[in-house]
């Protein structure tokens, strides 16, 4: 499958924008995806419950058609688990430095939605509450 869409638009307050502030120290040779894309894939996979580089890579591979369309990716082949492992090992401290301001600006704008993902709302242990706002 070829992903040939052009253009890549993100809201200035998005997490992708914050990831663009990180310096990519990888060698240019063999680099298919920029650092911001890989970190965005990590966040999306983690939101879906993937905690290991193998899980993140598997999740991205299983959702590659959608990811190519939404993220306007040139390659339909998703990064290998070793790519995620290296990125996470090299940028562990930097990720916290970048993600913290993003979360703070969301809290200041109150642009977030609380979601119970542990099943308590589904089982009725906690009554569902509707919060107005959206995640950017």
């Amino acid at each position: 499958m070829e992903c040939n869409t052009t253009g890549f638009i993100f809201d200035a307050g998005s997490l992708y924008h914050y990831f663009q502030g990180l310096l990519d120290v990888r060698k240019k040779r063999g680099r298919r995806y920029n650092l911001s894309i890989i970190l965005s894939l990590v966040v999306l996979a983690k939101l879906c419950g993937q905690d290991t580089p193998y899980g993140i890579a598997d999740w991205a591979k299983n959702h590659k058609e959608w990811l190519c369309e939404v993220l306007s990716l040139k390659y339909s082949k998703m990064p290998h688990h070793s790519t995620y492992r290296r990125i996470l090992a090299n940028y562990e401290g930097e990720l916290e430095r970048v993600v913290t301001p993003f979360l703070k600006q969301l809290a200041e704008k109150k642009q977030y939605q609380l979601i119970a993902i542990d099943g308590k709302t589904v089982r009725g242990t906690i009554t569902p509450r509707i919060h107005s706002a959206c995640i950017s």
Side-chain angles (χ1 to χ4, degrees):
M1 176 181 169
E2 187 72 28
C3 297
N4 291 325
T5 56
T6 58
F8 203 153
I9 300 172
F10 278 88
D11 178 63
S14 72
L15 187 55
Y16 179 85
H17 173 78
Y18 283 83
F19 286 151
Q20 287 181 317
L22 291 175
L23 178 64
D24 194 348
V25 296
R26 298 176 295 155
K27 296 178 183 177
K28 290 190 187 272
R29 184 174 181 236
R31 190 188 315 171
R32 287 188 180 163
Y33 297 104
N34 71 40
L35 181 63
S36 301
I37 290 291
I38 292 174
L39 293 174
S40 297
L41 292 173
V42 168
V43 169
L44 290 171
K46 297 237 354 126
L47 287 172
C48 292
Q50 304 305 317
D51 289 332
T52 66
Y54 285 103
I56 293 167
D58 191 47
W59 180 88
K61 181 181 172 184
N62 290 330
H63 294 87
K64 68 182 176 183
E65 289 84 14
W66 176 75
L67 291 168
C68 285
E69 181 183 336
V70 171
L71 299 176
S72 300
L73 301 178
K74 295 179 197 176
Y75 304 101
S76 62
K77 187 174 181 182
M78 293 290 112
H80 192 262
H81 68 85
S82 61
T83 302
Y84 295 111
R85 187 178 310 282
R86 281 192 308 273
I87 294 290
L88 292 171
N90 290 334
Y91 292 93
E92 184 177 0
E94 291 292 311
L95 283 176
E96 185 175 347
R97 182 185 64 78
V98 170
V99 173
T100 301
F102 172 74
L103 295 175
K104 283 184 180 179
Q105 66 93 18
L106 281 181
E108 289 169 2
K109 293 180 181 179
K110 299 198 186 305
Q111 289 185 335
Y112 57 88
Q113 183 175 5
L114 299 176
I115 303 171
I117 58 173
D118 61 357
K120 291 179 181 160
T121 303
V122 175
R123 288 191 307 266
T125 307
I126 297 177
T127 56
R129 297 178 190 175
I130 298 175
H131 300 277
S132 61
C134 63
I135 299 173
S136 54

